[in-house]
Amino acid sequence: QVQVLESGGGLVQAGGSLRLSCAASGRTFESGYCMGWFRQTPGKERTFVAALSWSGSETLYADSVKDRFTISRDGAENTVFLQMNSLKPTDSARYYCVSSLGGDYNCLRSKSYEYAYWGQGTQVTVSS
């Protein structure tokens, strides 16, 4: 059974940094899946933040976080990170780590329906 678990959220002042981690388990014998991050604020839909290809060499970012956030992967540990710098109050949200189904070595996805596995989320609050 695939499980996705986020950590690293918290409270930070505007201009500060946070690093989110995402551990995906239950996929030892599976390959060709991509991972990403979405975020959601109360009363609004989940929005795309960043995505990472299976190889880790390709990334995709929402315009709102480009040049401030970096998604990366530790393949040996099957862990994905989201380094968030220059945080703004508008970045406050619950952040969800996501993972797609396997078998697509070229995937790089930004739509929520393209991801099969979702974590429970971790809260990020940026104070002004």
Side-chain angles (χ1 to χ4, degrees), residues 16-124:
S17 299
L18 277 177
R19 189 193 197 201
L20 304 184
S21 299
C22 172
S25 61
R27 313 195 79 168
T28 304
F29 303 106
E30 191 175 9
S31 61
Y33 55 87
C34 49
M35 298 189 69
W37 292 90
F38 282 72
R39 65 187 182 185
Q40 186 177 27
T41 54
K44 296 187 177 181
E45 293 186 356
R46 292 177 183 180
T47 59
F48 170 74
V49 176
L52 183 69
S53 63
W54 164 252
S55 66
S57 61
E58 293 185 75
T59 57
L60 184 64
Y61 296 96
D63 288 342
S64 59
V65 306
K66 202 172 294 183
D67 298 325
R68 297 189 299 122
F69 290 13
T70 302
I71 186 171
S72 61
R73 181 175 189 169
D74 181 343
E77 299 295 329
N78 207 20
T79 302
V80 173
F81 305 99
L82 185 67
Q83 178 66 42
M84 306 185 295
N85 299 328
S86 302
L87 283 162
K88 306 174 182 180
T90 51
D91 293 317
S92 297
R94 191 163 187 84
Y95 283 71
Y96 295 88
C97 180
V98 295
S99 183
S100 69
L101 293 173
D104 183 355
Y105 291 86
N106 297 313
C107 67
L108 193 64
R109 299 169 178 167
S110 63
K111 306 297 184 184
S112 60
Y113 61 80
E114 296 176 303
Y115 289 95
Y117 306 108
W118 291 71
Q120 294 299 309
T122 184
Q123 182 67 37
V124 172

